[in-house]
Amino acid sequence: RGTTLELLVNPLPSPITPTPLEVCDDNDDGFAEFDLTSKDTEILGGETGVVISYYQSLLDAESGTNPLASPYTNIDTPSQIVYVRAEYTTTGCYRLVPMELITNPTPDIPIDLDDLVACDSDQDGIEVFDLTQRAGDIYGSQDPLDYSLSYYISQVDADLATNAIANPAAFSNTSSPQTIWVRLVNDLTTCFSIGSFDLVLQGPPGFTEVPVFALCDDLIEDGF
């Protein structure tokens, strides 16, 4: 007596190998938090019925054990490979793709930038400052061609990159001292750092008026 056996070949998911996931290393220690799930949409590429999970090792990814929680802090720096498992929810068929994690350093701004000092020539509390005089100190050994530097009157504006000072080479202060905030951006990675320096006005030095100093002319009376 014959028996019919039906064979089913289930397809594998078609995950897309994602572009590297890059984050800025705020404290420059080589480690940062990565939002792994931010890559789900890119990996799925519109495919439905597929669940995405992430693993630290290829062995874990193949066995589906010890999935990584998101956000995830890298263990290797500045680059680390993690493994993505794309799995059909109905059949359990899966495919693996690698994903690179990259930590990018933030620009370096000295924390002790010198004050920018000007003489208050007319004693009105306002002078025109060239803020770009501090640019060399801000860049340090970093190549200015690789960065964008902007100036702000508040830390909030510097953090959000809004309301930058339009003409930093000719800025009139509104108080003394006045804090100027700077934002230095790496044009390649978009990582940025915030720093500050103060504008300070100095009045003319004080002095005591000296009375007329008189001497009697000598016997020759020549006026000297």
Side-chain angles (χ1 to χ4, degrees):
R1 190 178 214 182
T3 300
T4 300
L5 178 64
E6 183 178 9
L7 301 178
L8 295 177
V9 179
N10 292 313
L12 296 176
S14 302
I16 297 171
T17 300
T19 55
L21 180 55
E22 302 185 43
V23 299
C24 298
D25 182 9
D26 292 335
N27 59 4
D28 290 332
D29 65 352
F31 301 94
E33 288 190 344
F34 291 81
D35 181 6
L36 303 178
T37 57
S38 66
K39 285 291 186 177
D40 287 0
T41 300
E42 181 182 351
I43 295 167
L44 288 171
E47 190 171 20
T48 60
V50 177
V51 63
I52 300 294
S53 52
Y54 300 85
Y55 300 85
Q56 194 163 271
S57 71
L58 181 59
L59 182 62
D60 282 347
E62 289 175 336
S63 62
T65 56
N66 303 315
L68 298 176
S70 183
Y72 165 75
T73 301
N74 58 307
I75 59 172
D76 294 322
T77 186
S79 173
Q80 178 182 338
I81 298 296
V82 296
Y83 298 90
V84 184
R85 180 183 172 112
E87 182 176 342
Y88 274 128
T89 56
T90 54
T91 65
C93 294
Y94 69 91
R95 183 171 282 168
L96 308 179
V97 292
M99 182 171 74
E100 184 179 14
L101 308 180
I102 298 176
T103 51
N104 291 314
T106 54
D108 183 28
I109 297 180
I111 60 174
D112 54 351
L113 290 169
D114 291 338
D115 297 340
L116 199 56
V117 181
C119 294
D120 189 5
S121 56
D122 52 8
Q123 297 289 287
D124 65 350
I126 299 175
E127 288 294 331
V128 176
F129 288 83
D130 180 2
L131 306 182
T132 64
Q133 289 181 342
R134 283 289 166 268
D137 298 330
I138 295 168
Y139 285 121
S141 61
Q142 299 163 124
D143 188 347
L145 296 178
D146 296 332
Y147 296 85
S148 295
L149 175 60
S150 49
Y151 303 81
Y152 304 83
I153 61 174
S154 76
Q155 184 176 5
V156 172
D157 283 347
D159 285 331
L160 300 177
T162 57
N163 304 314
I165 294 173
N167 185 10
F171 174 77
S172 296
N173 67 301
T174 57
S175 63
S176 178
Q178 179 177 0
T179 300
I180 296 297
W181 294 88
V182 296
R183 178 186 177 101
L184 186 62
V185 182
N186 185 307
D187 294 330
L188 179 62
T189 66
T190 70
C191 294
F192 69 92
S193 291
I194 301 296
S196 67
F197 60 90
D198 286 340
L199 306 181
V200 177
L201 286 182
Q202 290 184 342
F207 67 95
T208 301
E209 186 173 352
V210 179
V212 175
F213 186 52
L215 287 176
C216 296
D217 202 348
D218 56 21
L219 295 179
I220 301 176
E221 295 191 14
D222 58 357
F224 298 96

